[in-house]
Amino acid sequence: MKILVALKQVPDTETKIKVAAEGKSLDPADVKWITSPYDEYALEEALRLKEAKGAEVVAVSVGGEKAKDILRNALALGADQAVLVKATETGDPLAVARILATFAEGKGFDLLLFGNKGFGADNGAVGSMVAELLGLAQANLVTKLELGEGTFRAEREGDGGTEVIEGSLPAVITAQRGLNEPRYASLKGIMAAKKKPIEEVDGAIVTATVRVSSMVLPPARLEGRKLDGEVPAQAAALLGLLKNEAKVL
Amino acid sequence: MILVFCELQDGKIRKPSLEALSEARRLADGSGKQVGAIFAGGSVAGAEEAAAYGADVILKAEGPSLAAYSSDGYARLLADAVKAKGASVLLAAATSAGKDVAPRVAARLGAGYAADVTGLAMKDGKLQVQRPVYAGKAFATVDFESAIQVATTRPNVFPVAQCPKAGASEGLAAGAADFKAVVKEILAKAGGKVDLTEADIIVSGGRGMKEGANFKILEELAEALGGVVGASRAAVDAGWGIPHSMQVGQTGKVVSPTLYIACGISGAIQHVAGMSSSKVIVAINKDPEAPIFKLANYGIVGDLFEVLPELIKAAKALKG
């Protein structure tokens, strides 16, 4: 079995976001970069499948030179191969999907694993788009995955409860928290990864379909008031304010 | 034409779909376009309701092959409808189904896509949207450059507006069920409660709840107020048996309810990212310096286990 795991490099989740001087993108100063948290579940699932059934795991990231860090980490965790598909970040999910689909096409992947969204553009779209471009089945926000002979069964979080999806392989699966518990890299893995190559290929040239024209921080919320008095009085005052002042009850 | 993918539940159009439909009507009125509401399923009884919310045309794809949801099947159906109607914009609510199918439709049509939008306009004949990025820590204005534009609207952001139109009914061929993946069954959640992202009132608990069993106090308050219960990452990670589906925050759900009551939640940046666009925020915390008070409209500094029972009592009295 051959598995592609798509990884995105994103700012650490504790990062305080600042907007760059041009007013359209993130100010990268002081940002600590990590593998997008949901992508870690995707990689872990691939590694578990490799251990259970035998598989070749190819970690791929679309990005620039610094994305090699997360690819190196994927090798340390147990990926067999790491590929940097060189392209400039545009915030256009279809552009990224086209680049990934062009890369994956004809390479015989049985499973393409993604995080359900990357922290950043937050569209949660690239996995589904790759599935459509390659004509594959998909299951998003997956918390449980079982593979059969050329088939899969996945559980995903839907609005009405857990949905059980069955489909054919090859398929695109996007991982949700709960799918597994990602491992940490061992010292041995980290040392071995330093010697492994990271392949570099040029990303396909694609036309942008969307463009960010400005980025702003959300309006600051004004600090409200703290309620005084004994507990029963505070409780009564709060409900009174919610009903009569805020008018939300 | 602006097409809107609408979802039905128990024979009624879901509220997030009505929000998307109302917003489509507003956009269409400003740009001389028509609005089409599109429904798909084993049965689409109840679709006529779309006329009251501004649908000039109601497109109905009905048949056994559509009874179970399929990402690829529904995507093909929607993309074919966009092409058949010559629609330039497709909207869907950012529900679990909407977010599942819309990117596929966009890819099929070579259309630009934006998820979870909180503002919509037409600019130079194309869609321009506002949307949260970096889990709500910033907002981006996104311009479309493709001929067809696809977007999902964030629930609880846009108002539902009645606007009666003709709502002429048209049938669409359901087609064969030659799908690559389908939903075989839905393991329904207890009580049929609304999803956090659609809830008007959320009562959320954090580390300060001390143990999972104490969440029943939050359930009681939520029930008295007509809301649902959420949790912070700290509470989900604490091993109290609280499912991740209840988590509000950057690595959980991003919500914008009318009222968000944060109980024993300090206000870590990761949590705030998921709830700071709530209309009214209440914080209850024993630490007066907790960052959550900085964004709360109303705060109570005190012991949760004293404050919550009093609130439940007062809420029951108010609603009773």
Side-chain angles (χ1 to χ4, degrees):
Chain A
M1 188 166 53
K2 198 170 170 185
I3 305 174
L4 177 147
V5 183
L7 302 174
K8 185 181 180 191
Q9 191 176 40
V10 301
D12 184 277
T13 49
E14 295 300 318
T15 303
K16 195 165 191 303
I17 297 298
K18 283 177 277 186
V19 177
E22 34 84 309
K24 294 180 187 181
S25 62
L26 171 77
D27 178 354
D30 308 323
V31 171
K32 184 186 160 207
W33 298 91
I34 60 166
T35 304
S36 187
Y38 297 108
D39 298 351
E40 293 186 347
Y41 302 111
L43 178 59
E44 178 63 32
E45 197 65 11
L47 297 175
R48 288 185 188 203
L49 286 166
K50 177 183 165 179
E51 286 155 5
K53 299 172 180 256
E56 182 190 349
V57 176
V58 183
V60 180
S61 188
V62 176
E65 194 65 22
K66 70 175 162 50
K68 283 184 176 172
D69 292 345
I70 62 166
L71 289 167
R72 184 81 59 202
N73 182 52
L75 288 171
L77 287 164
D80 299 289
Q81 199 189 338
V83 185
L84 174 67
V85 182
K86 289 190 281 184
T88 332
E89 166 75 31
T90 62
D92 179 355
L94 187 55
V96 178
R98 280 171 166 162
I99 291 168
L100 276 170
T102 306
F103 169 80
E105 192 157 32
K107 289 197 172 65
F109 289 108
D110 303 289
L111 196 58
L112 296 89
L113 287 164
F114 292 74
N116 74 72
K117 65 177 175 187
F119 170 55
D122 291 351
N123 281 299
V126 174
S128 299
M129 287 176 158
V130 169
E132 183 62 36
L133 293 171
L134 295 176
L136 306 179
Q138 79 182 41
N140 286 322
L141 291 156
V142 169
T143 53
K144 191 174 177 192
L145 178 65
E146 290 163 12
L147 299 186
E149 286 300 317
T151 60
F152 74 89
R153 181 187 178 279
E155 292 184 6
R156 86 175 203 112
E157 275 179 20
D159 291 344
T162 303
E163 296 174 1
V164 180
I165 300 172
E166 289 179 11
S168 56
L169 295 178
V172 167
I173 302 290
T174 73
Q176 170 66 314
R177 195 165 178 231
L179 179 60
N180 52 46
E181 201 53 55
R183 70 194 67 191
Y184 292 98
S186 64
L187 187 61
K188 194 174 147 218
I190 294 169
M191 296 312 287
K194 286 186 177 164
K195 296 194 199 94
K196 290 188 190 167
I198 292 175
E199 253 180 75
E200 291 182 44
V201 298
D202 288 323
I205 306 293
V206 293
T207 319
T209 56
V210 292
R211 216 175 277 281
V212 174
S213 55
S214 82
M215 195 188 287
V216 294
L217 297 181
R221 291 187 79 102
L222 297 176
E223 185 167 354
R225 58 176 132 144
K226 294 194 182 114
L227 307 176
D228 301 320
E230 294 299 311
V231 172
Q234 284 178 318
L238 176 62
L239 288 197
L241 287 165
L242 291 176
K243 185 172 195 298
N244 303 317
E245 186 180 89
K247 297 188 174 25
V248 292
L249 290 181
Chain B
M1 177 178 281
I2 299 176
L3 264 188
V4 184
F5 171 53
C6 295
E7 296 171 61
L8 290 159
Q9 190 170 27
D10 305 326
K12 298 193 72 105
I13 303 175
R14 290 181 66 183
K15 184 165 165 266
S17 296
L18 290 179
E19 293 164 3
L21 192 54
S22 302
E23 197 57 15
R25 183 72 255 167
R26 191 185 62 78
L27 285 175
D29 285 342
S31 54
K33 286 184 163 66
Q34 288 221 310
V35 172
I38 180 165
F39 294 83
S43 159
V44 296
E48 289 71 19
E49 191 191 356
Y53 298 90
D56 299 297
V57 184
I58 299 172
L59 304 171
K60 297 194 274 193
E62 194 169 23
S65 63
L66 298 172
Y69 171 78
S70 159
S71 308
D72 51 300
Y74 274 50
R76 186 173 66 196
L77 178 86
L78 292 176
D80 286 351
V82 168
K83 284 189 270 189
K85 288 284 151 194
S88 54
V89 175
L90 173 71
L91 297 181
T95 56
S96 65
K99 289 207 271 195
D100 194 67
V101 75
R104 267 196 99 115
V105 181
R108 200 172 174 88
L109 296 167
Y113 173 69
D116 264 315
V117 306
T118 55
L120 287 158
M122 297 303 290
K123 190 190 166 206
D124 305 329
K126 288 188 178 175
L127 203 58
Q128 183 188 59
V129 302
Q130 265 75 46
R131 56 183 304 275
V133 290
Y134 297 102
K137 291 178 186 172
F139 279 79
T141 299
V142 177
D143 290 304
F144 282 74
E145 304 196 349
S146 52
I148 299 170
Q149 304 112 52
V150 180
T152 56
T153 55
R154 194 171 182 181
N156 270 350
V157 171
F158 300 104
V160 171
Q162 292 234 357
C163 177
K165 293 283 169 185
S169 192
E170 270 183 47
L172 295 177
D178 53 344
F179 306 143
K180 296 189 171 68
V182 291
V183 173
K184 285 285 176 188
E185 80 182 292
I186 298 173
L187 315 168
K189 55 185 160 195
K193 295 207 173 94
V194 297
D195 192 70
L196 277 172
T197 54
E198 287 173 46
D200 277 330
I201 296 176
I202 296 174
V203 179
S204 232
R207 208 193 300 275
M209 293 306 295
K210 294 205 170 103
E211 56 179 297
N214 290 332
F215 268 66
K216 68 176 188 296
I217 311 173
L218 303 181
E219 293 281 356
E220 213 182 321
L221 178 59
E223 201 174 310
L225 294 171
V228 297
V229 175
S232 72
R233 182 162 102 181
V236 172
D237 284 354
W240 295 342
I242 296 169
H244 174 250
S245 56
M246 280 171 67
Q247 185 182 320
V248 173
Q250 185 170 318
T251 51
K253 296 203 161 120
V254 177
V255 299
S256 13
T258 317
L259 173 60
Y260 190 92
I261 305 182
C263 306
I265 291 174
S266 64
I269 188 165
Q270 133 69 285
H271 186 73
V272 168
M275 48 67 82
S276 63
S277 63
S278 305
K279 287 178 191 80
V280 173
I281 296 172
V282 171
I284 306 168
N285 204 299
K286 65 175 191 295
D287 174 12
E289 302 303 318
I292 191 79
F293 286 119
K294 291 265 183 288
L295 58 148
N297 301 72
Y298 307 109
I300 293 180
V301 179
D303 182 347
L304 284 176
F305 302 103
E306 289 174 21
V307 176
L308 287 172
E310 289 297 334
L311 271 181
I312 291 166
K313 230 188 281 175
K316 281 183 177 160
L318 184 75
K319 295 275 176 172

